[in-house]
Amino acid sequence: MPKSRIRKKDDYTPPPTRQPQNILTNRSWVAPVMLAFFLIGLAWIVVFYVTETQLPIEALGNWNIVVGFGFIAAGFGVSTQWK
């Protein structure tokens, strides 16, 4: 019976070293920023109603509601970066 071929094993190659992640690929900032925008927007609207339109910025009048919802919308915009 003929002798089978001997397979040559590949040389060991160590895994590549990990490069440090920069801030754009590291998504750990997304959740705190998103929650901050949500809470700022909610607080803005609540303060507006509780103080009977005197705060946060009286000159804006009912546009304070739009500002509050703008913060909330920004929170939803940031949430699209969450992985």
Side-chain angles (χ1 to χ4, degrees):
M1 179 172 239
K3 196 174 185 180
S4 61
R5 277 192 244 161
I6 299 173
R7 295 183 188 162
K8 186 178 179 183
K9 292 186 178 182
D10 292 334
D11 293 333
Y12 174 75
T13 54
T17 58
R18 292 186 66 182
Q19 300 294 334
Q21 294 179 343
N22 73 24
I23 189 75
L24 297 177
T25 58
N26 185 359
R27 305 282 187 191
S28 63
W29 58 272
V30 173
V33 172
M34 176 184 66
L35 290 175
F37 276 138
F38 287 153
L39 292 175
I40 290 170
L42 179 65
W44 194 287
I45 294 170
V46 168
V47 166
F48 175 71
Y49 278 116
V50 169
T51 62
E52 297 177 353
T53 71
Q54 300 300 312
L55 290 174
I57 301 174
E58 187 175 4
L60 289 179
N62 286 334
W63 283 97
N64 279 304
I65 298 170
V66 175
V67 172
F69 278 114
F71 276 113
I72 293 171
F76 280 114
V78 170
S79 72
T80 63
Q81 299 299 313
W82 197 359
K83 285 188 178 184

